[in-house]
Amino acid sequence: GWMIAKCNGPKFDGSTGPYYCEMAAAVGVELLNTTGRGSINVGGYDYYTDDEFLEFAKDADAFIYPSAYPTWKELHTEKYEMLNQIRAVRNDRVYDTQGQGANDWYESPYSEPSTMMEDFAYVTADTNENYLDKLVWFRKVDNEEDVVGSPGVCENVHDKRNVRESYDC
């Protein structure tokens, strides 16, 4: 099944957690989220079927696929007909969170919120032709040969890692 973003707050507008809802609200992006329930329940969590997900996401402008397992390439191959009905997929606006490796998205962006928000603003913007930096945590998945990134290593653990400057410590 498909897990769907659920934003808190009285208007479910993203003004309060989780982090991705706050990030969307901060950069002025309308995040698709729902108070509805999917018809698959596993361990108390609701998931959408393929049909429910397609109905929900078909008009999305951008799609962030947050998983390494299965990879986007594997998922897209398996569910090609369904996924290609989603506007973001047809327009090559699909990103994953593998820019710094499989796990770094869940750890490092919080120490550099401005970089995380720049990446998020880039992948969700109507146009990003003036953006000069490369993405850090997101990776565009239309090039299926892209290598999963690496978070880099700092020799001195007391030095600050700056991901925008080639991992200089």
Side-chain angles (χ1 to χ4, degrees):
W2 296 88
M3 181 180 273
I4 304 299
K6 293 188 184 220
C7 296
N8 303 326
K11 297 180 183 177
F12 296 93
D13 62 356
S15 58
T16 59
Y19 71 94
Y20 49 82
C21 298
E22 292 180 23
M23 195 167 39
V27 298
V29 169
E30 181 183 348
L31 181 69
L32 291 178
N33 74 94
T34 183
T35 58
R37 301 176 63 116
S39 59
I40 301 171
N41 186 290
V42 178
Y45 293 96
D46 291 321
Y47 297 87
Y48 281 11
T49 64
D50 286 353
D51 290 338
E52 291 168 335
F53 179 72
L54 176 60
E55 181 60 31
F56 178 76
K58 67 184 175 192
D59 295 324
D61 294 318
F63 181 15
I64 298 172
Y65 177 68
S67 182
Y69 315 105
T71 66
W72 174 255
K73 181 178 180 178
E74 293 165 335
L75 182 69
H76 192 233
T77 299
E78 179 184 333
K79 299 185 180 286
Y80 182 85
E81 292 299 325
M82 186 272 289
L83 289 170
N84 280 346
Q85 295 178 60
I86 298 172
R87 180 187 317 159
V89 176
R90 286 192 315 271
N91 293 336
D92 293 324
R93 301 270 320 271
V94 181
Y95 298 84
D96 68 15
T97 56
Q98 306 299 306
Q100 297 293 306
N103 297 314
D104 203 48
W105 168 254
Y106 301 102
E107 299 168 3
S108 295
Y110 309 103
S111 65
E112 295 191 47
S114 61
T115 302
M116 177 173 60
M117 289 184 62
E118 283 180 40
D119 271 14
F120 189 76
Y122 175 88
V123 303
T124 58
D126 291 333
T127 179
N128 42 35
E129 60 195 35
N130 296 324
Y131 191 75
L132 301 177
D133 271 324
K134 68 174 191 153
L135 292 171
V136 174
W137 284 289
F138 294 119
R139 180 181 67 139
K140 195 164 188 205
V141 298
D142 63 345
N143 180 357
E144 295 174 344
E145 303 306 316
D146 278 354
V147 176
V148 171
S150 168
V153 176
C154 295
E155 298 298 324
N156 183 343
V157 295
H158 300 292
D159 288 340
K160 180 184 180 293
R161 180 180 93 163
N162 187 331
V163 296
R164 283 279 187 226
E165 296 176 5
S166 303
Y167 313 114
D168 288 343
C169 296

